[in-house]
Amino acid sequence: MHRLLFAIGVTASAQRAGSGLFLNALRTLHSTSFATVTVETISSSHPAEVKNLVQGEWKVSSGWTWLLDPLNGSPFIKVADVQEAEIEPFVHSLCRCPKYGLHNPFRAQERYLLYGDVSAKAAQMLAQPQVRFLARSFAVPGNHLGQQSHGYRWPYGPVAIITPFNFPLEIPVLQLMGALYMGNKPIVKVDSKVSIVMEQMLRLLHDCGLPKEDVDFINADGKTMNKLLLEAKPQMTLFTGSSRVAEKLAGDLKGRIKLEDAGYDWKILGPDVQEVEYVAWVCDQDAYACSGQKCSAQSILFIHENWASSELLSKMQLLAGRRKLQDLTIGPVLTVTTESMLEHIQKLLKIPGSELLFGGEELENHSIPKIYGALRPTAVFVPLADILKPDTFELVTKEIFGPFQIVTYYKHDQLTEVLNACERMHAHLTAAVVSNDPLFLQEVLGKSVNGTTYAGIRARTTGAPQNHWFGPAGDPRGAGIGTPEAIKLVWSCHREIIHDIGPLPKNWEIPPPS
């Protein structure tokens, strides 16, 4: 199991390390045995085509959505676009799955082995197909002879998976396989900008033995997908994406949802100044790798006053300046336009004492379409006192899904104010405490909540979760990814079965009424 997660995580870390956009992920799936596209030839003259999968068959829809190449604006991928009037086959497919799932600890147990085999073939790293251990049960002795209580991890049955554009392979594959391992029947919707990657991954999994009827795959807009969820009523939906959509779905689905929503992620540099060049490099990677398009990106940097005399900021500026469009170390921002990012920067610079540290300009000599963003890596300094003001806090802590971060300094006696700022943030996904001072670490870790927190001088906000849990904390709806515990939490519920088989005590008689 860990080997499968590692194998998929390696691909995820490769995505996080650079900004080759989603085609890098697609290249990892290129194989003549199953692929319907050749990534090197995708262009406006040879466009790729993305279909839907429902009830075991690949199908098109009445309409198509054309995607523009983020680098030159030419249409190069067309995606089947399911309309509201066309959702009935998907609703019917999901409704056919019972609440007890496609398999569970009492039924069709051989499918645990089936998915071990599929995983072994797909990842080529799973030596023993022992997926069944995710459904490990436990037993507790009862109150009398013949009574014993058994706890099981039970599938939900029909479920939905909705994932964003920025990790087109890692997130949907890890969540899909977790759902399947536990016996669920999922419908998968990936952001249409990158759904070509997951379509090819599903074809790979079919080639490795995945039953085609076990997973449905749909390309549609948010309105159509919302209608499908309301009509099909999946028992559980996993949503990774914006907080606004997450809260809407939580209401629409009456709480039957797990969330890994937006992350305005903080990093605090402690009082022990050391390894300045390394810390600057990690800050650059956290904030600007993948052009900042990561839910774990460094959104705000709190710097202890002891670092003021170091070369930290100058080194961060130098590292940011190395990033070029030519090698895609800085590249198109797919969900925020250049205009909106520059507008946000201007609003911040109106705050007294704020300052543009570097960036703040559109990329030069580019052909990126206006529907995308093209911004140089940017950092804006805002004084801590102004960050904390009620009328500016919301503006400063607005998540910009691009190459952008806030920077501020704090004095040693202002740590409580820094922690209060972190407490006020509504999303608690990742965080970093850059210090080896044990008392400082204890203070910060003891008064914070972020679900994936890195601590120590090598701490970061962004790391592919091939060896640890990744997910938010502080919200009972929070979803995890990357570990067996995450799979069990998200894709199964607890079921208790109490066996009470006797024998009755000798000379038992009906007792008085109670």
Side-chain angles (χ1 to χ4, degrees):
M1 183 62 215
H2 284 291
R3 294 179 182 179
L4 168 66
L5 298 174
F6 175 78
I8 298 173
V10 167
T11 305
S13 62
Q15 294 174 24
R16 286 183 162 95
S19 185
L21 302 174
F22 59 86
L23 292 183
N24 281 342
L26 187 57
R27 286 189 181 93
T28 68
L29 299 179
H30 179 62
S31 167
T32 55
S33 65
F34 68 88
T36 59
V37 300
T38 303
V39 65
E40 289 80 8
T41 65
I42 298 177
S43 65
S44 57
S45 58
H46 295 89
E49 186 176 288
V50 183
K51 297 181 179 181
N52 304 298
L53 176 66
V54 60
Q55 297 178 349
E57 296 184 15
W58 290 103
K59 295 184 177 181
V60 299
S61 52
S62 60
W64 299 87
T65 296
W66 279 94
L67 304 182
L68 303 184
D69 189 324
L71 294 177
N72 58 37
S74 63
F76 74 139
I77 299 175
K78 66 174 187 176
V79 182
D81 187 12
V82 176
Q83 304 300 303
E84 291 187 41
E86 301 174 300
I87 65 173
E88 194 279 331
F90 298 92
V91 173
H92 177 68
S93 180
L94 209 57
C95 290
R96 286 178 59 190
C97 178
K99 293 178 182 178
Y100 53 77
L102 299 180
H103 60 269
N104 59 53
F106 284 85
R107 178 182 178 275
Q109 297 95 327
E110 68 278 1
R111 285 172 52 87
Y112 290 115
L113 299 180
L114 166 68
Y115 276 103
D117 188 46
V118 171
S119 300
K121 292 176 181 176
Q124 297 182 357
M125 296 184 74
L126 188 62
Q128 297 293 329
Q130 296 299 327
V131 174
R132 67 174 79 183
F133 289 121
L134 286 168
R136 187 194 304 267
S137 63
F138 63 85
V140 178
N143 294 329
H144 51 254
L145 182 64
Q147 186 185 77
Q148 194 173 51
S149 177
H150 292 260
Y152 297 93
R153 299 308 302 179
W154 210 256
Y156 291 104
V159 299
I161 300 170
I162 305 173
T163 64
F165 77 95
N166 52 330
F167 294 113
L169 185 63
E170 175 217 7
I171 296 176
V173 171
L174 283 177
Q175 298 293 12
L176 169 66
M177 298 310 293
L180 292 171
Y181 292 153
M182 301 311 296
N184 301 291
K185 163 66 182 284
I187 182 170
V188 180
K189 184 199 179 304
V190 180
D191 189 309
S192 294
K193 296 184 186 71
V194 298
S195 60
I196 187 173
V197 179
M198 194 59 197
E199 186 218 40
Q200 295 299 299
M201 183 66 196
L202 282 169
R203 294 180 186 274
L204 179 150
L205 291 171
H206 292 159
D207 202 48
C208 295
L210 170 69
K212 289 186 177 181
E213 299 80 7
D214 282 13
V215 181
D216 291 338
F217 177 70
I218 186 172
N219 297 282
D221 62 20
K223 184 180 178 182
T224 300
M225 188 64 191
N226 195 86
K227 180 178 174 63
L228 189 155
L229 293 175
L230 293 177
E231 291 192 13
K233 297 180 173 61
Q235 290 299 108
M236 212 287 290
T237 294
L238 179 281
F239 176 79
T240 305
S242 76
S243 295
R244 179 183 60 82
V245 177
E247 293 300 331
K248 181 185 186 305
L249 285 176
D252 289 348
L253 302 177
K254 297 180 172 59
R256 297 191 303 273
I257 194 168
K258 289 288 187 181
L259 304 174
E260 186 194 327
D261 57 353
Y264 188 86
D265 306 302
W266 50 261
K267 178 182 287 182
I268 299 175
L269 305 191
D272 45 329
V273 180
Q274 54 182 306
E275 306 294 352
V276 175
E277 190 165 49
Y278 178 83
V279 172
W281 173 76
V282 175
C283 286
D284 177 76
Q285 287 292 110
D286 281 346
Y288 306 127
C290 297
S291 299
Q293 297 172 94
K294 306 168 289 185
C295 55
S296 57
Q298 177 177 302
S299 304
I300 187 167
L301 178 63
F302 297 97
I303 307 175
H304 191 280
E305 60 183 336
N306 290 357
W307 292 78
S309 59
S310 74
E311 296 181 325
L312 176 70
L313 288 181
S314 61
K315 289 183 179 295
M316 286 172 56
Q317 182 175 2
L318 181 65
L319 290 166
R322 299 189 310 168
R323 296 183 174 275
K324 306 296 181 186
L325 181 60
Q326 288 76 11
D327 60 7
L328 291 179
T329 51
I330 191 70
V333 177
L334 299 188
T335 57
V336 190
T337 64
T338 306
E339 182 181 7
S340 62
M341 288 189 285
L342 292 176
E343 181 181 345
H344 181 68
I345 293 169
Q346 290 306 311
K347 289 180 180 179
L348 290 168
L349 293 178
K350 292 179 181 178
I351 298 174
S354 64
E355 176 188 353
L356 179 65
L357 297 178
F358 52 83
E361 297 177 344
E362 185 173 352
L363 293 175
E364 298 177 348
N365 303 318
H366 73 82
S367 55
I368 297 171
K370 289 187 178 297
I371 61 170
Y372 303 127
L375 185 73
R376 291 175 55 193
T378 299
V380 173
F381 174 83
V382 181
L384 179 61
D386 291 285
I387 291 175
L388 297 172
K389 291 179 179 178
D391 56 342
T392 56
F393 186 80
E394 185 174 347
L395 172 65
V396 173
T397 58
K398 178 182 178 180
E399 183 181 22
I400 301 298
F401 218 59
F404 176 83
Q405 65 174 318
I406 298 290
V407 176
T408 193
Y409 279 102
Y410 70 97
K411 297 182 182 299
H412 196 74
D413 60 1
Q414 290 181 304
L415 179 60
T416 297
E417 296 175 43
V418 171
L419 294 175
N420 286 341
C422 298
E423 175 76 11
R424 288 168 63 185
M425 297 173 192
H426 76 277
H428 302 285
L429 183 55
T430 73
V433 188
V434 183
S435 175
N436 283 345
D437 183 325
L439 294 179
F440 183 83
L441 288 173
Q442 182 177 2
E443 179 73 6
V444 176
L445 296 176
K447 294 183 178 180
S448 58
V449 68
N450 293 45
T452 304
T453 302
Y454 301 86
I457 200 60
R458 299 187 65 176
R460 54 190 176 167
T461 62
T462 298
Q466 63 259 36
N467 65 335
H468 61 77
W469 162 283
F470 186 90
D475 188 335
R477 305 167 301 176
I481 195 171
T483 65
E485 289 75 22
I487 292 173
K488 288 183 281 189
L489 171 76
V490 175
W491 295 115
S492 68
C493 56
H494 183 85
R495 184 185 186 189
E496 194 84 2
I497 297 177
I498 299 91
H499 295 272
D500 206 346
I501 62 175
L504 295 178
K506 289 184 177 180
N507 304 317
W508 181 86
E509 296 181 354
I510 296 177
S514 59

